Structures are given as structure tokens and as C-alpha cells.
Amino acid sequence: MDVIEGDRRMTESAAAAKASEEARVTVSGERAVELAGALKALIERIDAACRAAGRDPGAVRLLPVTKFFPASDIEILYGLGRREFGESREQEAAAKVAQLGHLSHMRWEFIGRLQRNKVKSVARWADTVYSVDSDRLATTLDDGTRAALEAGERDTPLRVLLQVSLDADPARGGVRDATLTALADQVARSESLQLAGLMAIPPLDVEPDVAFERLARIHASLLTEHPEARELSAGMSSDLEAAIRHGSTCVRVGTALMGARPITSA
């Protein structure tokens, strides 16, 4: 396991404590107290789920989903030791990246469905892009990331997670497992992309355990051809325990950490 990947797998409580020592942000106020309590409870919940599944808590990282929430909340979480944040709207995310540029060692992960006309912007600041589910999007991401590298706007390849469709519903996005290998091969060959793994959202009418068990099988199959694709991002506020039981290495949590959305999605 390389240094970067090892850092991503640090025990959440240990990572938070280490980063808190380095933080230059003063955490105070009612919202800070609220977020600190929610974060503590969430980390305890993740650790308990790992223990129940017979897994090391350090094998599962928490990605706070901060879409719809102000940059001030992210700054509070930074002061609490968090360094990775998930956003899903390009314009909102780009504004936060600019506003919080004074904070070091932050990693921004774009977790929403990405339109190809937004790739150029996202390729400048995203550490990771989720929801890649077509060869056209992969090609556009490769081109956009290469341009960002050549312009000095980034200095590392773009990590990519392929979205697996667990219900074959095109409206929900995702690639079917029958064509997953071809897309994985394409990303792995790309000059500017790094195949990091898979992600999925379980269908609403399927038990999470059933959906995540299937996803785990698909991931195991992919690893035989692409052992570098170790990330398995699955599980959110309502179903993270089931996801962890079936091998998730990253849970994406918004509501359980941030609370109800403060603004609409319009």
C-alpha cells in the first residue's frame, strides 16, 4: 500500500486527532459545537459497524458530503480535522474551492453526475471524480485533466471511480457490469486518469444488503483485472452499516453529519 493510499485508510479518530493538531482554524460557536458532536457520533457509528463486520475501522474512510452547505461549515470541519469533502454541483464547488484556498492539504471529491461541459472546471480542482459511467465522459475527463496538468493547474492524475448501475435505470446513471471491464480498461490506459475503484447507489426498492452484496461481487471481479482499483465507495447516512458489511472502503455522509439542507437544490 503506497503512502497516499495508506493515509486515506488511517483510522478516522486518529486522522482527526492528527489533523486537528495542525489546524489553524479556531473552532467555536453554536454551529461548531453541533458539527463536532455529529462528527464524533458518526465516527463512533462507523467504528462500531467496522467492528461488527470484523473489519479494521482504519479500512473505511468518511467523506463528508457538504453540497448545499456554506463554506463556513467546511472551515469548521477542517478545524475538526477533516481534509476531504464531497461536492456535486460544479459552480457551487468551484466557489468554495476558491473561498477556502487558504486552507492546506484539502482534497475535493466530485460525487455527483458530471456533465461533460463542466469537466474543464472540475479537472482543475478535483482530487477524485465519481459517477464516471461512459467512454465519452472518460475521454473528456482525460482531455480536461491533461490540459490542467499542462497548464500547471494541478500536479497529479485525476482519480476516477466508475459508477455501477445496480438497477439498469438510465435516469440514475451507472454502467452495467457487462460493460464495466471495457470502461475500466479505457480509464486505466488513459494518460491523465487513475482508476481508483467503484461506487454505487442502491436502488430505492432493493434491500441495501442485497444491493451491496452484488456490488461487492462486481468489485471482486474487477480486482482480478485491475488490482489497483481498491476503492469501493458505498453507503450513506441511512445504510452505511450494510455497506461496511459488504466491503465499502468509503462512506459518503451528508445528513447524519451536516443536518437538513439549509437551501434548496434550485
Side-chain angles (χ1 to χ4, degrees):
M1 182 178 292
D2 57 38
V3 174
I4 295 176
E5 193 66 24
D7 180 63
R8 292 178 183 277
R9 296 293 182 266
M10 290 178 67
T11 302
E12 289 294 337
S13 55
K18 177 178 182 294
S20 292
E21 293 175 359
E22 301 171 349
R24 298 179 180 179
V25 178
T26 300
V27 178
S28 61
E30 183 178 347
R31 180 59 171 162
V33 171
E34 179 183 359
L35 287 174
L39 178 61
K40 181 177 183 293
L42 183 56
I43 290 173
E44 291 173 350
R45 183 181 166 193
I46 292 170
D47 287 354
C50 288
R51 289 192 296 270
R55 299 179 62 192
D56 181 350
V60 179
R61 69 184 177 99
L62 165 64
L63 179 65
V65 177
T66 50
K67 62 180 181 179
F68 305 122
F69 288 87
S72 58
D73 278 359
I74 298 175
E75 194 158 10
I76 290 170
L77 289 170
Y78 182 94
L80 292 168
R82 311 319 301 177
R83 294 295 182 269
E84 301 172 338
F85 301 94
E87 292 283 334
S88 64
R89 303 194 303 177
E90 178 273 329
Q91 188 172 5
E92 176 190 347
K96 290 176 181 176
V97 172
Q99 187 174 348
L100 298 172
H102 61 288
L103 302 179
S104 60
H105 307 297
M106 294 185 72
R107 288 196 289 261
W108 298 93
E109 307 199 9
F110 192 87
I111 62 175
R113 297 192 70 181
L114 179 59
Q115 297 175 331
R116 287 186 296 131
N117 64 349
K118 303 294 186 181
V119 163
K120 185 176 180 180
S121 170
V122 171
R124 295 190 183 108
W125 50 261
D127 171 81
T128 305
V129 169
Y130 292 55
S131 307
V132 176
D133 61 0
S134 73
D135 55 354
R136 295 177 68 193
L137 179 56
T139 297
T140 305
L141 276 171
D142 190 28
D143 292 342
T145 305
R146 186 185 311 111
L149 287 165
E150 292 173 351
E153 296 169 323
R154 64 180 302 125
D155 56 10
T156 60
L158 179 68
R159 297 176 74 247
V160 166
L161 271 70
L162 307 182
Q163 180 178 355
V164 177
S165 173
L166 297 175
D167 59 4
D169 182 355
R172 289 168 57 84
V175 59
R176 299 186 184 187
D177 53 329
T179 56
L180 178 64
T181 299
L183 183 57
D185 290 344
Q186 177 185 344
V187 171
R189 290 193 305 266
S190 299
E191 295 181 7
S192 305
L193 306 181
Q194 175 191 347
L195 179 63
L198 303 180
M199 64 83 65
I201 302 171
L204 297 176
D205 57 350
V206 175
E207 285 294 323
D209 275 297
V210 174
F212 292 140
E213 181 180 16
R214 182 185 174 202
L215 177 62
R217 291 197 305 268
I218 295 171
H219 188 224
S221 177
L222 178 68
L223 287 172
T224 63
E225 299 292 333
H226 294 282
E228 74 280 9
R230 296 185 293 269
E231 187 90 272
L232 183 62
S233 180
M236 296 181 284
S237 294
S238 63
D239 56 16
L240 66 85
E241 285 85 0
I244 289 172
R245 277 196 295 273
H246 295 286
S248 174
T249 64
C250 171
V251 292
R252 311 179 302 273
V253 181
T255 303
L257 175 61
M258 309 301 296
R261 291 178 180 177
I263 59 176
T264 68
S265 59

